[in-house]
Amino acid sequence: MDSQINIKRSMEWKEFETTFSVKLNQQQKEAVQSTKGPVLLLAVPGSGKTTVLVTRLGYMIYCRNIPPESILTVTYTVAATKDMSERFAVRFGEDMAKRLEFRTINGICARIIQYYGRRIGKTPFELVKDEKTTTGMLIRICQDHGMGYPTESDLKNVRTLITYIKNMMLTEEELQKLEEESDIRIAGIYREYCSQMRAQNLMDYDDQMLYAYKMLRMDPGLLAYFQKLYPYICVDEAQDTSKIQHAIIALLATESGNLFMVGDEDQSIYGFRAAYPEALLSFEKNHKGAKVLLMEENFRSNAKIVEAADKFIQKNTLRHEKHMKPAREAGTDIREISLKSRKAEYVYLMRVAQECMTRESSLQKNGMDARKAETAVLYRDNECAIPLIDLLERKNIPYRMRNAELSFFTHRTVLDVENIIRFAMNPKDTDRFMQIYYRLKLFFRKEDALRYVNLSKEKDMAVLDAVLKYDNLEKYQEDNIRNLRRQMERILKMTGDEAVDQILTYMGYQDYLKKMGMNANKLEIVKMIGSRVDSPEKLLERLEELRKIIREKKTESDCPFILSTMHASKGLEYDTVYLLDVMDGILPEKVLVNPRTASKEELETYEEERRLFYVGVTRAKNQLNVFTTNKPSKFCSELLGKRNLRENRQKEYAGIKKWGDYSPAETYGVKENGMYHGSQKQPGKSYQELADALGEGMIVKHKKFGEGVVVDMEGDHIRIQFGDNVKNMDLKVLARLGMLEI
């Protein structure tokens, strides 16, 4: 659009609609035309909030004669500022877009600090743009406060807490309470970190906001300058804005009162980053004369998804009253895919990925855009996808990964297991011994452990051998050491997953975790990876390979099969969505039994869990699939409805037919009368029929061992998991004896 359109005269609405091809519903139109005073626009998923925000900017310029230079639009990320500017330019012209100011809150704060520095003739603090700059400092501080040598995962947790403290503007009392609730001595670490940063004349991005806020409060002239500069302020993704960010925006908007905030507290999922949805709930109280507008029509998802998602989120209490309404007709039912194990989920999704690539090839041959049929696998944490990545890489199946990160590989529990295995491989490794001795059932004091290390080096012997031979031990200590030595020798002859089980169960590591208040959840991921290798050594190699794969993975922008956390998926949409690991203990992490008796903190945490699930659900346009296992989720039952869950849900069980015989979109197996079957029960198959029908991830029934899941097949050999045990079997024998039912 030609930006030279005369803006000296005000356009009427009809002319504006015609000139810029504006098509809005009544709620959207009201939001666009509300340009004066404090306004909160609550926009449900898929309601077109970005379109409305961009259109509103054009309306302010062309219909209200507001100079574009006087409008500040605040976005959550740098990428969002670019996207919004480009979208404005497409509709209203590049020249006009250049006159508007799109900034992140940090971008605004940087400008405030720079201007203040010029006013007082003093150079401001230097901004640390790369965390590596302060890593050494933070390691030393953590060590000084009893953390030993912190891992990458430990440092990430510390940085997250520091960010939270600053963004939530915690008082000393609140800081002490946070320390009591965490496993880290964060209060002392935080104070020392701030002190050292100031001493070196440095500031991080969170400091940048704190300093800007302080300067605006201290200097009335500075505040007046920026209030006059930006008499109109628009804020996107307001539910993700932190307490300090809301405070800065409120200061800037105090004089004019023209504050337009767009968000949805139902989509606030960044509590760990100090998102402050309370600001939306108290908007009318905090801003005199404020009005709250709604955009409730969802244009993205089919009606069944919209109605189920709305019914689910209504049970949250910390929200404005609103209802998401479908603009589209009903489509495919939401499906619960119920499998016997998490491992079966990954095998199932491997097949889905294969189907995606086949479908993409077909679409491209017919000249169609494959991106319109994208399939996304969404999960709570990055680690949930690692076994799937392992499988896809082994099978050389393309995939696209969004916002992957590596903290799993440096988590304390993962490193502990790796160190125990490495010590088993090299019993003379004194460094490993010092890392693990107090995590196992040895009951050594540190001074004893150091003495045994020196003894091992002096005698050139394995550490445990040296202890047994040269030290005076109590009978129970000697028994513990002999047992540990046997276990170390034993695990080297096991498969990767068996070795992890042995470490947890028989070496005392599980007891250590309980004592420290930690869980073994991440080791379930390690076990799944370990089930595909035949030794602990191969497990270590594969973990390192996966770390490298994820670190170096290049984005395949045209790949239709996408892996993403639910957090990273916010604001995006996909034709088909699979929600992974929807089970109590993962999603939600902790079930709140009685919300009415819960503390404020417990309720806030649980409702954010619900919001995260809601965000995942509302990413799907046409098909939503929810994975459950033998640990079904309360969230899933609420989403599908209790009656539907019991009587009429589309419940799937993997591997009833040969994969090539059906589409993943079909319902292909149900549980009836205690038996899993497809169209019919098929006992007594011949060897060839059985070989052709079986595949990884299928649920089968053995006459002796009961139900199991096919782990893998190679020639005549098949591995089937029965409960916690994996059996190696001969397919010909199974067929001849009629031992296996599909």
Side-chain angles (χ1 to χ4, degrees):
M1 181 62 61
D2 184 3
S3 64
Q4 299 304 312
I5 289 175
N6 184 10
I7 59 171
K8 291 183 180 179
R9 73 173 176 86
S10 298
M11 284 186 181
E12 296 297 324
W13 176 255
K14 288 291 183 185
E15 184 184 0
F16 180 73
E17 281 185 312
T18 304
T19 304
F20 299 107
S21 302
V22 174
K23 295 180 180 179
L24 303 174
N25 63 27
Q26 189 55 43
Q27 285 186 329
Q28 292 172 326
K29 180 180 174 180
E30 185 180 3
V32 166
Q33 295 181 338
S34 298
T35 60
K36 291 289 184 180
V39 179
L40 174 62
L41 175 62
L42 298 172
V44 304
S47 59
K49 69 173 181 66
T50 305
T51 297
V52 166
L53 186 51
V54 167
T55 305
R56 183 178 181 274
L57 293 173
Y59 177 81
M60 292 170 73
I61 296 168
Y62 290 103
C63 297
R64 291 290 180 260
N65 276 346
I66 296 170
E69 293 83 3
S70 65
I71 306 170
L72 170 65
T73 302
V74 182
T75 62
Y76 189 58
T77 64
V78 174
T81 63
K82 184 180 177 183
D83 176 67
M84 196 166 296
S85 179
E86 289 174 349
R87 291 179 69 165
F88 182 91
V90 168
R91 175 157 289 187
F92 299 106
E94 288 188 15
D95 291 343
M96 193 64 71
K98 290 176 183 176
R99 293 174 60 186
L100 281 166
E101 196 156 348
F102 299 94
R103 287 182 180 263
T104 64
I105 190 69
N106 279 101
I108 299 298
C109 290
R111 186 169 182 183
I112 291 168
I113 291 171
Q114 289 168 356
Y115 186 81
Y116 180 78
R118 290 197 298 270
R119 274 170 62 90
I120 65 172
K122 185 179 177 181
T123 306
F125 290 115
E126 182 184 350
L127 178 65
V128 176
K129 297 180 180 180
D130 189 349
E131 288 182 348
K132 292 178 182 177
T133 307
T134 58
T135 296
M137 175 204 303
L138 204 53
I139 288 172
R140 290 190 296 273
I141 294 171
C142 290
Q143 288 175 326
D144 291 341
H145 288 79
M147 284 188 64
Y149 193 87
T151 66
E152 290 177 29
S153 180
D154 294 333
L155 289 176
K156 181 186 175 185
N157 290 338
V158 169
R159 290 188 186 278
T160 299
L161 285 171
I162 290 173
T163 289
Y164 182 84
I165 293 165
K166 293 178 180 179
N167 275 267
M168 290 300 290
M169 307 167 73
L170 296 190
T171 63
E172 275 296 316
E173 185 180 344
E174 291 168 332
L175 178 57
Q176 289 300 325
K177 186 178 179 182
L178 179 66
E179 178 164 294
E180 291 169 8
E181 294 171 351
S182 69
D183 299 326
I184 302 170
R185 298 177 184 174
I186 191 60
I189 293 172
Y190 171 72
R191 295 189 194 99
E192 184 62 26
Y193 173 77
C194 292
S195 175
Q196 291 197 27
M197 289 286 284
R198 285 193 299 270
Q200 297 181 47
N201 208 41
L202 299 174
M203 65 178 173
D204 57 28
Y205 283 105
D206 301 314
D207 290 328
Q208 196 177 50
M209 292 185 292
L210 287 172
Y211 293 158
Y213 178 69
K214 185 178 179 180
M215 292 167 188
L216 290 172
R217 294 284 303 270
M218 286 175 34
D219 190 331
L222 180 73
L223 177 60
Y225 173 81
F226 281 97
Q227 287 176 336
K228 186 178 179 181
L229 187 64
Y230 303 124
Y232 295 89
I233 300 175
C234 310
V235 182
D236 191 23
E237 301 289 4
Q239 76 281 341
D240 297 328
T241 306
S242 70
K243 191 173 184 177
I244 183 66
Q245 292 168 348
H246 277 291
I248 293 167
I249 291 165
L251 275 179
L252 294 175
T254 299
E255 182 65 25
S256 69
N258 298 321
L259 174 61
F260 184 76
M261 301 189 79
V262 186
D264 180 11
E265 72 280 354
D266 290 337
Q267 297 181 75
S268 180
I269 57 175
Y270 288 107
F272 64 97
R273 293 184 188 170
Y276 192 62
E278 290 89 338
L280 275 63
L281 298 174
S282 58
F283 188 82
E284 292 169 284
K285 178 183 175 183
N286 295 336
H287 300 277
K288 189 178 179 181
K291 63 179 178 179
V292 177
L293 304 178
L294 303 178
M295 283 183 9
E296 298 173 294
E297 196 169 10
N298 179 301
F299 298 92
R300 174 188 299 150
S301 307
N302 85 53
K304 289 185 177 179
I305 296 172
V306 171
E307 289 164 0
D310 180 65
K311 188 176 179 180
F312 175 84
I313 203 63
Q314 293 299 320
K315 293 186 179 181
N316 272 26
T317 60
L318 306 173
R319 63 189 301 272
H320 286 90
E321 180 62 32
K322 58 183 178 296
H323 282 278
M324 183 166 57
K325 303 166 186 175
R328 295 175 54 195
E329 295 181 354
T332 309
D333 287 337
I334 299 171
R335 296 185 309 165
E336 179 193 6
I337 306 175
S338 184
L339 306 180
K340 296 289 281 185
S341 67
R342 292 178 75 185
K343 189 172 180 178
E345 293 179 338
Y346 303 122
V347 175
Y348 184 105
L349 287 168
M350 177 192 72
R351 307 294 187 186
V352 172
Q354 289 174 324
E355 288 279 332
C356 281
M357 301 316 299
T358 302
R359 184 168 62 249
E360 180 190 37
S361 178
S362 175
L363 289 170
Q364 287 175 342
K365 284 181 182 177
N366 294 312
M368 300 171 68
D369 188 356
R371 289 175 296 180
K372 292 182 179 180
E374 288 179 332
T375 294
V377 180
L378 306 182
Y379 35 84
R380 182 195 181 95
D381 300 309
N382 275 286
E383 65 199 50
C384 296
I386 293 174
L388 177 58
I389 293 168
D390 180 36
L391 192 55
L392 294 173
E393 290 287 341
R394 288 179 183 277
K395 301 294 183 180
N396 200 30
I397 300 172
Y399 62 96
R400 187 178 358 147
M401 187 166 44
R402 298 191 75 254
N403 290 36
E405 56 99 32
L406 301 168
S407 61
F408 167 81
F409 298 96
T410 61
H411 190 269
R412 181 61 61 190
T413 55
V414 178
L415 292 180
D416 282 348
V417 167
E418 288 186 347
N419 283 332
I420 291 168
I421 293 172
R422 294 190 190 281
F423 182 70
M425 293 164 57
N426 180 11
K428 293 183 179 180
D429 190 336
T430 54
D431 290 337
R432 302 287 178 195
F433 175 76
M434 291 302 299
Q435 290 283 335
I436 68 169
Y437 79 89
Y438 58 93
R439 289 164 161 81
L440 307 175
K441 289 181 177 178
L442 291 178
F443 307 109
F444 293 158
R445 295 173 299 177
K446 187 174 182 179
E447 52 264 39
D448 292 329
L450 289 169
R451 182 160 51 85
Y452 298 148
V453 162
N454 292 330
L455 192 61
S456 169
K457 291 177 179 177
E458 180 187 328
K459 303 296 183 181
D460 192 25
M461 294 175 66
V463 180
L464 299 182
D465 290 347
V467 176
L468 287 169
K469 188 170 181 177
Y470 294 104
D471 200 47
N472 251 340
L473 299 170
E474 297 288 340
K475 178 71 166 58
Y476 78 92
Q477 291 179 313
E478 188 175 324
D479 290 344
N480 285 337
I481 293 172
R482 291 189 187 279
N483 177 60
L484 181 61
R485 189 171 62 176
R486 283 195 301 270
Q487 298 297 339
M488 291 285 183
E489 292 169 354
R490 194 172 294 166
I491 66 171
L492 296 179
K493 301 173 184 177
M494 296 177 174
T495 61
D497 56 334
E498 290 170 342
V500 178
D501 265 333
Q502 197 81 356
I503 291 167
L504 279 165
T505 307
Y506 296 104
M507 291 189 183
Y509 187 62
Q510 184 79 63
D511 295 336
Y512 166 78
L513 293 179
K514 287 180 181 177
K515 180 182 175 183
M516 301 301 294
M518 301 166 66
N519 61 57
N521 291 349
K522 287 180 171 55
L523 298 188
E524 289 300 312
I525 304 293
V526 178
K527 281 170 62 177
M528 279 186 271
I529 297 166
S531 68
R532 299 191 182 112
V533 296
D534 58 11
S535 72
E537 185 177 3
K538 293 283 181 61
L539 171 59
L540 297 182
E541 290 173 0
R542 188 56 180 166
L543 286 170
E544 185 54 39
E545 288 169 358
L546 286 169
R547 180 175 182 173
K548 185 178 180 183
I549 287 167
I550 295 170
R551 184 176 62 244
E552 298 177 357
K553 180 73 176 177
K554 293 181 180 178
T555 302
E556 300 177 43
S557 58
D558 57 345
C559 182
F561 188 72
I562 299 148
L563 309 180
S564 173
T565 62
M566 293 180 188
H567 288 95
S569 73
K570 195 164 79 68
L572 303 176
E573 59 185 37
Y574 305 98
D575 181 77
T576 300
V577 167
Y578 290 86
L579 299 184
L580 199 61
D581 295 332
V582 182
M583 61 184 81
D584 292 344
I586 298 180
L587 192 66
E589 190 172 36
K590 185 179 179 181
V591 176
L592 195 63
V593 179
N594 189 349
R596 284 176 291 185
T597 60
S599 68
K600 181 175 178 290
E601 291 78 12
E602 288 173 331
L603 185 62
E604 287 174 350
T605 299
Y606 184 64
E607 293 207 351
E608 181 161 322
E609 292 274 292
R610 295 180 59 83
R611 295 196 294 267
L612 181 63
F613 183 67
Y614 174 75
V615 166
V617 167
T618 54
R619 299 311 94 194
K621 292 193 290 185
N622 296 316
Q623 178 66 64
L624 175 66
N625 310 278
V626 183
F627 277 111
T628 62
T629 64
N630 57 349
K631 297 180 181 177
S633 169
K634 184 179 180 182
F635 288 180
C636 186
S637 63
E638 286 186 19
L639 182 74
L640 298 179
K642 290 184 179 180
R643 180 174 177 180
N644 190 31
L645 184 71
R646 294 194 189 105
E647 299 176 9
N648 196 34
R649 66 185 175 187
Q650 294 191 32
K651 187 172 184 178
E652 301 188 1
Y653 290 86
I656 308 305
K657 300 180 185 177
K658 185 180 176 183
W659 188 271
D661 294 339
Y662 63 83
S663 162
E666 297 175 4
T667 300
Y668 60 93
V670 294
K671 187 175 183 180
E672 294 179 2
N673 301 320
M675 290 293 295
Y676 296 95
H677 58 87
S679 57
Q680 59 181 5
K681 186 179 174 182
Q682 299 173 317
K685 286 179 172 294
S686 71
Y687 162 73
Q688 196 56 54
E689 287 176 318
L690 197 61
D692 289 342
L694 286 170
E696 293 179 356
M698 285 189 173
I699 295 175
V700 296
K701 186 171 183 178
H702 191 278
K703 288 186 176 179
K704 180 179 179 181
F705 301 113
E707 289 178 357
V709 179
V710 177
V711 177
D712 57 49
M713 295 176 62
E714 188 172 346
D716 297 336
H717 299 283
I718 184 170
R719 295 175 75 216
I720 305 175
Q721 183 169 342
F722 301 98
D724 294 330
N725 299 314
V726 177
K727 301 286 186 183
N728 295 299
M729 297 181 173
D730 189 299
L731 199 56
K732 288 184 176 178
V733 174
L734 291 172
R736 186 174 69 249
L737 299 177
M739 296 295 289
L740 206 62
E741 294 179 0
I742 301 176

